[in-house]
Amino acid sequence: MTGGPRVRRRSRPGGVRWLEASEVLLDCADVVVIGGGATGVGLLWDLVLRGLDVVLVEQAGLGSGTSGAFHGLLHSGARYAGTDPRTAAECLAENRILRRVARSFVKDTGGVFVRLEEDDPEWERRWRDGCQQAGLRPRRVVAAELLTRQPSLSSRIAAAYRVPDAAVDGFGLLWSMVWAAAEAGARVYFRTRVTGLLTDEAGVRGVRVVGLGGREEDAAREAAEGRVPRVEPGEITASVVVNATGPWARDTAALGGAAQAAAVPVRRDKGTMVVFNSRLVTTVVNRLRPPGDGDIFVPHGPVTILGTTSAVDDGPGRPSPTPGEVERILDQGRALVPNLDDAAPLRAYAGVRPLLVTAAEGGGSPGSTGGGVPGARGADAAGRGAGRGFLLVDHGEGGLPGLVTIAGGKFTTFRAMAAAAGDLVTRLLGKRAACRTAEVGIPRLGRHPRSRPAGPRPGPGPSDLGGPLVCECELVNLSSLLSLFDAGLGLADARRLARVGMGACQAVFCASRLTAALWMAGWPGTRSRPRADEGAIRAEVAAFGEARGGGTRVVEWGSQARLSAVAQALDQLTLGRPAGADADRGRKVVRE
Amino acid sequence: MTATPRERDYDVVVVGAGLAGLVAAARAASEGARVGVVALASGNLGLWSGLVGGRPAGRRPAGTDRALEFFLDYALKAGLPYVGGSPDLRLFSPAGHVVQAVAAPATMAATLPARAARRRTGGDGRPPFETSGAGASGAAATAPAAVVVGFTELGDYPAPFIAETAGQEIGLRVIPRSLSLGPAAGRGQAPHLARLFDDPAWFASFLESASRFVGAEARSAAVVLFPPVLGFERFAENLKALRDALGAPVYELPAVPPSVPGQRFWRFWRHRLEADGRVQLHVGRRVTATRVAGGRCLWVEDGVARYRAAAYVLATGGVAGGGLEVDPGTFFRLSGGPGEGQPGALSGSLSAESGDEAPESRGGPAPAPREPLFGLATHGKGTDWLTWGVRVDGEGRPRPARPGDGRAGSRALANVFAAGWVLGCGRGRPTGAYLSIESGHLAGTLAAGLAGSGPGAAGGGARPDE
């Protein structure tokens, strides 16, 4: 973290904010990044460190797609050793870098691979060969010793190996990069949808955008239904536009025409995970067998995440976990942790992976492919079937200069993806600036009270130690929550950043306090410009509860069922809300 | 290992001491029965706002609701007077909305200011409001109709928000006033504040500052509303002192959990029941075994004692109270189906370890099979845990899990009655506190009748349930 990022300060102050539906945004920059997931934010940070002027637009909230619904696992690469040693090697390299530059976001839990007696010993040999190729040196662990440290594991262990897996705080990491970039002059707009590309004879020269305003859930739903607000679109002009929209990269590339979409052979793959309310294990536990549905346990703070399933996702919008998937995960998980049913599941969630498709599967695209692009490390993974490698496309080779797509990959390799894309972008701009993300540390939000971007800084500062608690499960106090709202963020963002409502009560008991906090913040305005609106506040709290409910309903048994019944009683009997459409809508998800 | 537990004999045993259990015990005792209450804790009373709502429209002609009359009468005897009956009350909910309530604690029974009330039409004997004399147009703009007082330390009670909502609901000016209680408020938990208000010395100093900071607006307001934390014991005195000091009608507003009025109810009713002499409460005990034979319950046991009675009241609560359990696996069949659940997907806690075999092998390696004893039904659209409950016949006796299992008619056990949320609520049925009062009253009446101590099981309180 020597000296922090050395960047040119722009005259225009950087910042993070929403775009309201009534706003017409006019901005210009060197680069526009579309997509506020790990790839987009990683690229934002990468380009800012190279001294470029960057704008990032995201239609929902930060990390609200794939990066907000992953396993929270910083891979050592061992997971892929048996199937894809090249991805494994990439993960290992990135694992080492992130442990250095993002140290405060990585919880070094370590990891083990466990082969149970019923698992194929042949796979173990293949896996060890793969590890060898990838440069991993898994250390063999004596089963009895492992069991003394991890007593909840099955005693039917045939072999176990230690690997450098770790848990990673994805939300904290993304937020910190965004705020560090904003401090250095970058602009980040949420609730902002790209409706088209600005083009001239030289190619792409920017994007057309509209503000969606309102709630993140609505923005996502409207996007899924293809609805666009009828307002005068704003424009952001830039020399290079980067499409970093992950699983939706193909749709975004389609803004440049069918040929460009065909150059981005990405498909969506749904994964479901279950969160348990206790630390079942203290280290990441993988099952040593061909990757399956419920075979990774990741301890995260007070909870454990078990997953994950894999299925083609062809629906629009965000996927929801289904009871069948949860049942499958639990069935598989019980093999590794026999007493799994003693732990109460808090909720389930689902995310989508961007998988690269083989040429055959992709339908023989006539446009350009990523194969010829220099610097596209891992691009040939597309030729090996649905892989976890990544794809870098310079659409200039397919007739649309100025547009770049970076897709595929995984959270662990986001920095490498950003580095590759950053190299290409810098070259397209005709500049010389080397990637510095492997050397510059990412400052943790709230621990570096230096100059602040426009608006108050989120996160607990030294003066925020007092104040009443709003969320008692995750110990979030009122003043830190208010400072988040002052920064123009909503409850969904506050959840990711401060973990509001993610604890044992799942926002059942703190809903009234969140309502009060929004009121005090003058929501949807800020404390300095209050315009408190009761309807908007209720809608925000209701959307927050609904988003939580979608994940809790599929694990409603035991104590979770009791909690749901209490929540219903509070809503219907105490607060006098009718048994409304919300509950019914949530249930329909379950029946699908 | 199988030492014979102490035997206790009653006329009626009530399992559970939430609202339904306490009402059933009070009712059975008033019918002359000797009653034993076995309960783990105070049920969901700590979550209860204190309001009695949920009587379906047209359920009872006003003034003939015996369950409610009994409840109001016993509450008065217990020293925790309730107001209600006829007509229904209009009160603010904890969120500031206007809700209908069948009854409310006297501390909350404010008459809400309304435009009609401003025209000095005192409806049911209550005094009309003192609107500060001036014409309605000029005064209404300045004098608030109501003042919502909040404590900044009490985070669960957002006074500005409540006032805003309330003002929109009644179309009059409602203003918030926030007081800070200082370090004495601790972390601002409602029970902590209630204990603070029980301290006369502290309250005296509070009263002085309250009249200084709220006094001006209060004197011109039709009603002044405080958070429901004005003491566990001394709330009536405190309220009176506040009314005198502020010169205005002062009431409490209902609030979200942890709720002091619900805990007051537990204290006062428990003391009254124990003072009765006919009721013994065994709190902190979980029923772990039952003996069922010949279509009757013979005894229940909690590991300390074995309780025998002529009749039993199952007031164990619904899913929220832990009286009904939801198992993984079975849940998926519940929700995945077309809307109707399968019997046995939820298991009543009384049935959890019971059956026709005596569970003498308790503690052995094999747990007793979780054979459901009672049938279950959903009274709503099948989408909501509150709507799930045991199916009962017209007298509140649970029906068997499988049709045809009952040895006498359609009931599972001849001497077991169910009351409260274990019955489940739903559209067109009583919900919430009213469900507990009505079904607790019915179960208490019938159980006492079965024990031969009351006027008979064919009491007029019976109602067809399904």
Side-chain angles (χ1 to χ4, degrees), chain B residues 8 10 35-40 280-285 302 305 307:
Chain B
R8 290 182 183 276
Y10 296 102
V35 184
V37 179
V38 189
L40 192 58
Q280 284 184 331
L281 282 95
H282 307 277
V283 180
R285 311 278 184 84
D302 65 7
Y307 307 88

Side-chain angles (χ1 to χ4, degrees), chain B residues 28 50 88 133 155 160 186 194 207 295 310 336 345 362 399 401 445:
Chain B
D88 280 357
L207 191 63
R362 248 180 7 267
R399 290 181 170 176
T445 311

